[in-house]
Amino acid sequence: MILLWSTAIIPQARPYCDQFNTICEAPATPQLLLLYCSLGLISIGAGGIRSSCMAFGADQLDKRNNPENTKTLQSFFGWYYATVTFSALIAVTLIVYVQDNLGWGMGFGIPVMLMFGSAVSFFLASSFYIKLKAKTSLLTGLAQVIVASFRNRHIELPSHATNEVYHIRKGSMLQVPSEKLRFLNKSCVIKDPQEDLTSNGDASNPWSLCTVDQVEDLKALIRVMPLCSAGIMMSVNVYQGSFMVIQAGTMDRHVTPNFEIPAGSFSMFMMISIVVWIPFYDRIVLPLASKIKGKPVRLGLKQRMGIGLLCSGASMVASAIVEYTRRKIVIEEGLTDEPPAVVHMSALWILPFYILGGLAEAFNGIGQIEFCYSELPKTMSTIAANIYGFGTFISNLVASFITSMVDNVTKRGGESWISSNMNKGHYDYYYCLLAGLSMLNFIYFLACCKAYGPCHGDNKNQAEKSKKGDYETMIPQARPYCDQFNTICEAPTTTQLLLLYCSLGLISMGAGGVKSSCMAFSADQLEERNKLAEFLQLVLCYINVCSSNRSILFFLASSFYIKLKARASLLTACMIKNPQEDLTSNGAASNPWSLCTIEQVEDLKALIGVMPLCFAGIMPSITVNQGQFMGRIAIPLASKIKGKPVCLGLKQRMGIGLLCSCASMVSSACRVCTRRKIAIEEGLSDEPQAVVQMSALWILSFYVLAALAEAFSGIGQIEFCYSELPKTMSTIAAKVNGFGAFLGNPVASLIISLVDNVTKRGGETYGPCHGDNENQAENSGIGDHESINQS
């Protein structure tokens, strides 16, 4: 920093520039050498500090026998990340302001003074630090394991692992290697003690024989890499900020009439969100949640990493929506050929990207660092602290690759999605692509989590929870007493049973009232075509359906709703049979059970007319009981390809759903037939709990087809009833599908009972009622035979 500062304060250290004509001489060789040396030394110094600082700080606090160790390290990593981000925020705001207004000499001088002060304070406190000495090169040790495993690839591993077979480091707690990644165990197998070991017990050739500790270190590193690699996509999304700068440059950046935020300064909002969220989460959210629950509450490491990935994907969705809206306004204002033009849209709409990106880094970045630090051995703390940084390096390359691929592929059909003219490009499509990749990455992350198993830190948190009240509820007197150690419970009293039954009854009545009316009520809100009113009503209805505090929000928003009043009981009117009596003096029926209106008759006719088609949906309900793509992507895409609106008819969608339901049963029949055949070949007919050598992922075809059946037939049936029945019957229209699903349960039970009773006369049952041995039962009866009959 001092050398770089000298280029600003010493005139001879930089080329001469005429400040009036902005003409500069070419730099001399010594001047270039001074500049390159300063930048090179800064890079080396920053690399040494950043790669070691976090691990060195964690070493001061890491006491693995302390029960509070996990909590302490989590707070340290969070505050360290917040401090570094706050420093970067100061650098891009205050230091840049000084450089612009007071010159480069003062702008470089302040960092020099700060670096000098930090170096002096570090060395003054050096005697107080815990300093761990490295005995060997860790990277060399990992390379030796790989080479030794390859050299010993032909030897056979011993069937009974003992400490006399493997090379153990003196004083090590590990006596035998783990069974995971067993091929690496060959690198620590002693073939001939006289040749492989020296007189003091060390390996004569460390590139042919390694210790068990070296093998386990490499295994631990390999195990964490898949989970950490999921964070690459998050960093790819976060590093789309360069496009956001271009986007912000075409939007109104005024906060007040006299103050405008520079387009390049919007990245500070991501830093602000990180700096604000980390202390808020550590000092407010967690203590408050712990106080409410009455016990320590902390999110697990993999939970925080997953939340970060979801926030990253959500930031791309938000960016796609903002860019779609901005481009639409550009077209409406006729600014397509004017890329520098500013549209009438506030640049503050970009803030969701930066806020969600900051949350993604705060959750995933810190969670990943803590995950690696807790899962890897103590000797690998520096590597653990830098895996996340290595991931961000990889993410830059991946982001460049994705950008290049999208540009090369999309520009073949005309204008590139990421054209230099943002108004002609389709950056919204590009952001949607990244959002889709983020969702695939999240699925990959979930698979890695399942394969990895529990984390060390999560196990400690789970142990604390099990100690402090797995059996706790709000009012102990409201439940029978249970001995949590012997699992012996007293019989419930009459009052306790009454309270339980009342609660379940009220829940049933409340759910029945909400579910039977919510869909029809929401549809009533969309009858008005006013766009703003429709949007507000839809949002409020959505909140009422999804929010846990729906009752409060419902009454708060009650004044915005369209509320249709029922003049008479619809079901009562539909029970009319034979009109015979006369009218009263005012024209009304003297006996409504004998004389009805034409509207009542037509309502009943409409209901009777839709029932046969709706009853066809009972079979998909049976199938699904054995276990916004269309509207937002498929239909618009088909319409764009055809050049005219494309939409499947209601009966077409219901028919497709029935075919999908049939296909799900056919796939189940094929799958179960294959599984039973494998069980017989492996001799597992008498072992119902045995696992056959067949992947359970083959079951996915049933669930996918059943879901498509419900999406096509169920939604199509609801829309069909709602459009065919009169307005006054909207509640009944919304529940005809639910009534069919209700009938589907007894029909399914009837079919299963009949199949079981008929087929078991000849021996083993075909159906799933034979719960004792699935390998002997002809389960393909619900598949081979019954699904063919259903088809």
Side-chain angles (χ1 to χ4, degrees), residues 648-661:
L648 287 173
L650 298 177
K651 290 183 285 187
Q652 287 176 318
R653 286 151 59 190
M654 295 164 67
I656 292 173
L658 298 178
L659 290 177
C660 289
S661 170

Side-chain angles (χ1 to χ4, degrees), residues 65-88:
N65 295 326
N66 183 3
E68 297 291 325
N69 189 54
T70 301
K71 180 180 178 181
T72 303
L73 286 178
Q74 182 174 336
S75 295
F76 167 74
F77 288 127
W79 282 100
Y80 176 87
Y81 208 89
T83 304
V84 171
T85 306
F86 180 74
S87 302

Side-chain angles (χ1 to χ4, degrees), residues 669-690:
C670 298
R671 183 194 69 251
V672 176
C673 182
T674 305
R675 190 206 66 79
R676 187 171 181 272
K677 182 180 178 181
I678 295 173
I680 294 172
E681 292 174 352
E682 296 179 355
L684 302 176
S685 297
D686 297 320
E687 301 178 27
Q689 302 300 324

Side-chain angles (χ1 to χ4, degrees), residues 752-766:
I752 292 173
S753 299
L754 288 174
V755 170
D756 182 51
N757 293 328
V758 172
T759 58
K760 71 182 179 183
R761 297 171 184 172
E764 293 290 350
T765 179
Y766 281 108

Side-chain angles (χ1 to χ4, degrees), residues 30-334:
Q31 293 171 340
L32 287 174
L33 184 63
L34 179 63
L35 176 64
Y36 293 154
C37 285
S38 64
L39 295 176
L41 291 173
I42 289 174
S43 301
I44 295 172
I49 293 174
R50 293 180 182 179
S51 63
S52 307
C53 190
M54 185 182 294
F56 183 76
D59 288 341
Q60 315 307 310
L61 304 172
D62 189 11
K63 298 178 178 60
R64 305 208 171 187
N65 295 326
N66 183 3
E68 297 291 325
N69 189 54
T70 301
K71 180 180 178 181
T72 303
L73 286 178
Q74 182 174 336
S75 295
F76 167 74
F77 288 127
W79 282 100
Y80 176 87
Y81 208 89
T83 304
V84 171
T85 306
F86 180 74
S87 302
L89 181 62
I90 295 297
V92 299
T93 54
L94 182 61
I95 302 299
V96 170
Y97 177 82
V98 171
Q99 291 171 349
D100 287 343
N101 293 275
L102 300 179
W104 292 102
M106 183 64 71
F108 286 145
I110 293 176
V112 168
M113 296 299 106
L114 292 175
M115 283 297 302
F116 179 77
S118 64
V120 170
S121 63
F122 178 83
F123 286 111
L124 288 177
S126 178
S127 59
F128 299 100
Y129 294 135
I130 297 172
K131 296 182 280 288
L132 303 177
K133 295 183 179 180
K135 297 179 181 179
T136 57
S137 171
L138 182 61
L139 294 178
T140 302
L142 298 178
Q144 288 172 347
V145 174
I146 297 174
V147 173
S149 299
F150 179 77
R151 287 182 172 180
N152 301 335
R153 64 188 181 278
H154 299 299
I155 68 173
E156 294 184 3
L157 291 171
S159 56
H160 300 287
T162 62
N163 55 5
E164 297 167 352
V165 177
Y166 297 105
H167 181 36
I168 305 167
R169 190 182 64 191
K170 294 179 181 178
S172 174
M173 300 294 292
L174 294 173
Q175 300 297 310
V176 293
S178 62
E179 289 300 308
K180 295 179 179 179
L181 301 173
R182 292 185 76 246
F183 65 93
L184 294 176
N185 296 351
K186 296 181 179 181
S187 62
C188 60
V189 175
I190 301 174
K191 300 183 289 294
D192 186 350
Q194 295 181 349
E195 294 183 2
D196 295 340
L197 301 177
T198 61
S199 57
N200 60 358
D202 295 332
S204 56
N205 183 3
W207 294 93
S208 297
L209 180 62
C210 304
T211 64
V212 174
D213 293 80
Q214 288 176 298
V215 174
E216 291 304 309
D217 287 352
L218 181 59
K219 285 183 179 181
L221 183 60
I222 292 173
R223 287 190 67 217
V224 302
M225 290 309 291
L227 268 173
C228 296
S229 65
I232 292 176
M233 194 63 216
M234 181 212 70
S235 299
V236 169
N237 294 341
V238 169
Y239 291 139
Q240 300 302 318
S242 57
F243 292 136
M244 296 299 165
V245 172
I246 301 173
Q247 192 174 357
T250 64
M251 302 170 73
D252 183 10
R253 303 187 304 277
H254 285 89
V255 179
T256 66
N258 299 320
F259 178 70
E260 184 181 47
I261 303 176
S265 298
F266 272 82
S267 60
M268 71 179 180
F269 289 106
M270 183 178 294
M271 301 177 190
I272 292 173
S273 65
I274 296 174
V275 172
V276 171
W277 172 252
I278 292 175
F280 179 76
Y281 173 77
D282 190 65
R283 295 304 177 189
I284 298 179
V285 174
L286 291 182
L288 185 61
S290 301
K291 189 173 182 179
I292 293 172
K293 295 283 287 185
K295 55 185 176 182
V297 174
R298 301 195 84 81
L299 286 174
L301 298 176
K302 291 186 285 189
Q303 287 176 319
R304 287 152 56 195
M305 294 165 68
I307 292 172
L309 295 180
L310 290 177
C311 289
S312 171
S315 70
M316 287 294 97
V317 174
S319 300
I321 294 173
V322 171
E323 173 57 19
Y324 174 80
T325 307
R326 188 202 68 84
R327 191 171 181 275
K328 184 178 179 181
I329 295 173
V330 166
I331 295 173
E332 290 175 353
E333 295 180 355

Side-chain angles (χ1 to χ4, degrees), residues 484-501:
Q484 58 177 308
F485 300 103
N486 298 323
T487 64
I488 298 174
C489 297
E490 297 178 355
T493 64
T494 304
T495 307
Q496 292 169 342
L497 286 174
L498 183 63
L499 178 62
L500 176 63
Y501 292 152

